[in-house]
Amino acid sequence: MKRLAIPAAALFLCSCGLQPMYAGGGNGMVARSLADVAVPAIEGQQGWLVRNALIDRLGTAGATGARYRLEVRLDDKLEGLGLLGNDTIARERRTLRARYQLVDAQDGKVLLDATAGSDAGIDVVGSEYATIAAEQTALENLARVVADQIVTKVSLRLRSGGDSASK
């Protein structure tokens, strides 16, 4: 019975129109399009972290003359949440939000205008060093999460055809 279920499921998936995003691996259409996206410098330490994560995921280490440009603006917030009886903060939340646009470098047309973001909770402990290290680690993790979200949306946009505008 199980022998029949697996081929039937495979036939069903093939007929539903699902296609792998990265078909063809590094030579596939999406991978080649992603490698043709330049990421200009982004302001601040969080910008440096996000840009490096984007470059790692896009595969655009030295992209000059790229067809697309990814413009990113970040908003990084660190706020105290829990107050103890002596008015000291017991918990913080770090939020990293990105507003980004995928721009056709040839004609300046905006192909994608979207946002991405994530947040992380941080315990504030007695050691100032440990708290600063936790804040830094949270920022590094958030930069990777935001970069993943951006690359996913850019991949979907480029896969659907990079020529028509979409929001």
Side-chain angles (χ1 to χ4, degrees), residues 113-160:
D113 187 3
T115 59
S118 190
D119 60 9
I122 302 163
D123 287 328
V124 177
V125 295
S127 166
E128 188 175 333
Y129 174 78
T131 301
I132 291 170
E135 291 169 356
Q136 182 63 31
T137 300
L139 179 59
E140 292 167 4
N141 292 336
L142 291 173
R144 285 191 293 271
V145 169
V146 168
D148 286 341
Q149 292 174 5
I150 292 171
V151 170
T152 299
K153 284 188 182 177
V154 168
S155 297
L156 289 170
R157 180 67 189 100
L158 292 174
R159 180 175 180 233
S160 70

Side-chain angles (χ1 to χ4, degrees), residues 80-95:
L81 294 178
L83 285 178
L84 298 175
N86 60 358
D87 288 335
T88 59
I89 296 173
R91 189 126 174 101
E92 294 176 332
R93 180 173 65 194
R94 183 159 218 158
T95 306

